[in-house]
């Protein structure tokens, strides 16, 4: 175990922060987690979790019981700080760093010489330097990497690169990119992550680490956009896109992804815009891919409308208010409860605005978000008699009941 950091403070106990905190705690480092959500704090201190992630509940229960993990709403003095807060974008697609700024100002009073501050939040290029500037502004009595060769405070960026549903496994097995604002920061952060990371800890500078995460997700976004655009083209040409992709993928150097209703989650649906915002003239392909994927939910809605029109024509005694539409899945990907930037959620919401009777089937949540007041959350059996079935997310429960392969369902 790394003896330099005996106590760390993780700010942000969401889908990345909590698994990270629990994993450090399981490897012998005392962790204080910080979150503004009092409910989340209370749940964690009871040894419970407020998010769905396989095996996380069991891990949190163990490390809380051992006294290695606790949660609170304000930071404490520690040896290292990990900032894992959201980084959304504004209406004009410019990055919004307000949560990083708030976290920086919250932890600044507790800093002391020798501390390490790591930004894990996926961020636009320059965000780590901006975080250091906010810290320096709050603590003029301390020096930071851009102010001195051997600064009082070390600062680094280490983006997460885990798959929801396999977070605990990939936190340990995946390589980590460690981007320090100076070499001492890179080395210290690398040593900290080596506490549990079995993959490589590859050191670079902060800007390259920031761009690396954005590049990874933009690469995936571009490839998804190709599949989504293919599905629209094939619909126009009366070709089965699933068969087409299966045939094309028999080529030894072709690996086309599967199309879907769009792209969601806090990473792929957001990160490419950070590149576009910084370099709008150069990021032409990345912008176009984002626009293709952002347009896919409306295309799906149009397909549903066509099915509704066909249904009403076949049942002239019914009106649109009599049509029941079952939307299968609200999360942004299979077998998780994360609704952030979910195209399935957007599609369901917009269909409800049409005056239809909308049933939502999402086995990973217990209550609907507030913007779905007109939607009924039901279990699988209650949805089987719906007039129109819209399969949006390939949850395992839907596969087990053959919902995904139902010929009467609307394909995406």
């Amino acid at each position: 175990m790394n003896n330099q950091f005996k106590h760390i403070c993780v700010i942000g106990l969401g889908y990345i922060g909590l698994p990270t905190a629990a994993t450090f705690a399981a490897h012998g480092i005392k962790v204080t987690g910080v979150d503004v959500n009092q409910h989340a704090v209370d749940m964690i201190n009871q040894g419970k979790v407020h998010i769905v992630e396989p095996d996380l509940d069991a891990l949190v229960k163990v490390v809380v019981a051992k006294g290695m993990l606790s949660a609170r709403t304000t930071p404490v003095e520690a040896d290292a700080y990990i900032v894992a807060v959201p980084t959304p974008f504004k209406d004009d697609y410019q990055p919004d760093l307000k949560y990083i700024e708030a976290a920086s100002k919250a932890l600044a009073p507790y800093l002391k010489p020798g501390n390490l501050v790591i930004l894990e939040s996926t961020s636009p290029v320059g965000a780590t330097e901006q975080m250091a500037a906010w810290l320096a502004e709050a603590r003029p009595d301390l020096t930071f990497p851009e102010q001195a060769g051997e600064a009082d405070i070390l600062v680094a960026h280490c983006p997460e690169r885990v798959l929801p549903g396999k977070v605990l496994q990939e936190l340990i097995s995946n390589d980590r990119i460690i981007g320090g604002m100076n070499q001492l920061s890179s080395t210290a952060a690398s040593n900290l992550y080596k506490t549990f990371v079995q993959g490589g800890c590859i050191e670079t500078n902060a800007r390259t680490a920031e761009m690396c995460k954005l590049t990874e997700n933009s690469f995936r976004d571009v490839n998804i956009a190709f599949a989504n655009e293919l599905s629209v083209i094939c619909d126009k040409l009366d070709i089965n896109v699933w068969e087409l992709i299966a045939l094309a993928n028999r080529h030894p150097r072709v690996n086309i992804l599967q199309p879907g209703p769009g792209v969601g989650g806090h990473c792929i649906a957001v990160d490419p815009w950070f590149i576009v915002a910084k370099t709008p003239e150069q990021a032409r392909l990345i912008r176009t891919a984002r626009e293709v994927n952002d347009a896919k939910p409306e295309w799906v809605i149009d397909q549903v409308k066509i099915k509704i029109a066909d249904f009403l024509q076949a049942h002239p005694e019914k009106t649109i208010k009599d049509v029941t539409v079952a939307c299968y899945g609200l999360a942004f990907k299979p077998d998780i409860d994360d609704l952030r930037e979910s195209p399935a959620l957007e599609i369901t919401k917009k269909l409800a605005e049409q005056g239809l009777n909308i049933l939502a089937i999402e086995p990973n949540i217990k209550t609907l978000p507030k913007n779905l007041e007109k939607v009924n959350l039901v279990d699988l059996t209650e949805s089987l008699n719906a007039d129109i079935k819209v399969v949006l997310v390939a949850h395992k429960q839907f596969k087990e009941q053959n919902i995904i392969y139902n010929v009467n369902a609307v394909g995406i």
Side-chain angles (χ1 to χ4, degrees):
M1 193 190 83
N2 182 358
N3 293 323
Q4 182 180 356
F5 303 107
K6 297 180 180 180
H7 180 198
I8 65 174
C9 183
V10 177
I11 300 179
L13 296 174
Y15 291 92
I16 299 301
L18 182 55
T20 300
T23 302
F24 271 117
H27 286 78
I29 295 182
K30 182 181 178 181
V31 181
T32 300
V34 178
D35 202 284
V36 295
N37 183 342
Q38 185 67 56
H39 172 70
V41 168
D42 293 341
M43 289 280 286
I44 293 165
N45 286 330
Q46 295 169 31
K48 302 175 182 178
V49 297
H50 59 291
I51 56 177
V52 173
E53 178 61 39
D55 303 321
L56 180 61
D57 53 349
L59 181 62
V60 168
K61 182 179 180 179
V62 169
V63 294
V64 169
K66 289 182 177 180
M68 297 304 293
L69 173 64
S70 62
R72 50 187 287 140
T73 56
T74 55
V76 295
E77 283 195 4
D79 301 315
Y81 295 84
I82 295 178
V83 176
V85 296
T87 47
F89 56 76
K90 304 174 185 176
D91 290 340
D92 58 357
Y93 297 116
Q94 294 296 312
D96 188 349
L97 303 184
K98 63 183 178 183
Y99 298 114
I100 297 176
E101 181 178 10
S104 301
K105 292 179 177 178
L107 72 86
Y110 302 94
L111 289 176
K112 56 185 185 295
N115 280 171
L116 168 66
V117 182
I118 298 173
L119 178 62
E120 273 208 11
S121 306
T122 303
S123 310
V125 174
T128 307
E129 295 162 19
Q130 178 62 70
M131 182 182 73
W134 281 322
L135 294 172
E137 182 182 0
R139 291 297 301 274
D141 56 313
L142 298 172
T143 56
F144 292 80
E146 285 201 334
Q147 301 168 321
E150 293 187 9
D152 294 328
I153 307 298
L154 303 175
V155 180
H157 181 65
C158 182
E160 55 81 14
R161 44 168 31 169
V162 292
L163 181 70
K166 295 184 178 180
V167 171
L168 292 179
Q169 172 190 332
E170 294 200 352
L171 273 176
I172 293 172
S173 63
N174 289 357
D175 292 347
R176 293 300 289 254
I177 307 302
I178 313 289
M181 286 185 63
N182 59 11
Q183 184 55 53
L184 288 174
S185 299
S186 293
T187 301
S190 181
N191 288 339
L192 177 59
Y193 282 103
K194 285 177 182 177
T195 302
F196 64 78
V197 172
Q198 295 176 3
C201 288
I202 298 92
E203 297 179 17
T204 182
N205 58 66
R207 285 192 160 227
T208 304
E210 289 164 342
M211 188 62 179
C212 185
K213 178 59 186 290
L214 303 182
T215 299
E216 293 163 10
N217 284 333
S218 295
F219 171 84
R220 295 170 67 197
D221 197 41
V222 169
N223 282 274
I224 294 169
F226 180 77
N228 279 336
E229 190 167 274
L230 262 186
S231 72
V232 176
I233 292 170
C234 286
D235 180 72
K236 190 78 171 178
L237 299 177
D238 195 24
I239 295 171
N240 184 318
V241 68
W242 311 102
E243 180 187 5
L244 173 71
I245 290 174
L247 293 173
N249 281 347
R250 295 181 73 88
H251 188 290
R253 289 172 295 280
V254 174
N255 184 23
I256 304 168
L257 302 179
Q258 298 298 303
V263 174
H266 184 62
C267 291
I268 301 178
V270 177
D271 299 351
W273 288 120
F274 292 167
I275 297 178
V276 175
K278 282 283 186 180
T279 54
E281 296 300 319
Q282 291 76 28
R284 293 175 294 172
L285 178 61
I286 294 171
R287 178 196 292 273
T288 300
R290 266 291 72 233
E291 291 170 347
V292 167
N293 287 332
D294 277 351
K296 192 67 188 294
E298 282 297 332
W299 182 86
V300 173
I301 290 170
D302 288 342
Q303 302 306 300
V304 177
K305 288 180 178 178
I306 291 171
K307 291 289 185 181
I308 292 171
D310 291 344
F311 177 82
L312 289 174
Q313 187 172 7
H315 300 82
E317 75 281 3
K318 293 193 174 185
T319 68
I320 194 167
K321 292 182 180 180
D322 301 318
V323 180
T324 299
V325 178
C327 295
Y328 292 87
L330 296 177
F332 82 84
K333 62 169 292 180
D335 305 324
I336 62 172
D337 69 337
D338 195 342
L339 305 182
R340 290 178 297 175
E341 310 296 331
S342 171
L345 186 69
E346 178 186 349
I347 290 165
T348 303
K349 179 176 178 291
K350 289 189 175 181
L351 287 174
E353 293 170 355
Q354 305 294 316
L356 299 160
N357 178 26
I358 302 294
L359 306 179
I361 305 90
E362 177 48 75
N364 297 298
I365 64 173
K366 295 180 179 178
T367 58
L368 290 172
K370 293 180 180 179
N371 61 355
L372 292 183
E373 296 94 347
K374 299 179 181 179
V375 176
N376 296 310
L377 183 65
V378 302
D379 63 28
L380 201 54
T381 56
E382 294 177 83
S383 69
L384 298 180
N385 292 324
D387 301 313
I388 308 289
K389 296 181 175 69
V390 187
V391 183
L392 298 170
V393 188
H395 288 314
K396 62 183 180 182
Q397 293 91 337
F398 304 159
K399 292 179 179 179
E400 290 168 356
Q401 296 296 321
N402 288 325
I403 296 295
I404 287 176
Y405 311 108
N406 187 318
V407 295
N408 295 317
V410 177
I412 53 174

